Amino acid sequence: GTPTDYDVVNGAPYQFRSITYILTICGQRTPVTVAAVQSLWSEALKLPGQQYSMQGFFKSCSYGKVEFNPARNIVVEVSLPCTGTA
């Protein structure tokens, strides 16, 4: 059942927000892409055979009280150069 004692914001679902950085450091790229992470975030972008998403996880585990909208959870690539002194 739905818990009755969990009222985040006047009965409306809490809008979870985040920024995920995919780093390239000193020219070394990670094998993870923005599209791959976004497929893990969104129910609509799940890959064939992928059972779960963060969007579904938040909906299920919070009984619909926390909403994980992929449009509010940004994934960006950032390149960090190798400059400076040790």
Side-chain angles (χ1 to χ4, degrees), residues 5-77:
D5 62 344
Y6 189 64
D7 182 19
V8 179
V9 182
N10 298 323
Y14 175 78
Q15 302 297 316
F16 185 85
R17 291 172 172 83
S18 69
I19 299 175
T20 301
Y21 298 98
I22 298 175
L23 301 178
T24 296
I25 302 173
C26 300
Q28 298 295 311
R29 295 184 55 90
T30 179
V32 177
T33 65
V34 169
V37 173
Q38 288 172 332
S39 76
L40 295 171
W41 275 195
S42 172
E43 281 291 310
L45 298 176
K46 286 193 309 189
L47 299 173
Q50 181 181 327
Q51 293 182 331
Y52 307 105
S53 71
M54 287 297 285
Q55 188 175 25
F57 172 81
F58 273 78
K59 182 177 181 179
S60 176
C61 291
S62 74
Y63 296 94
K65 298 293 184 176
V66 179
E67 196 170 275
F68 188 96
N69 183 335
R72 293 187 187 98
N73 293 278
I74 301 165
V75 182
V76 295
E77 289 184 85

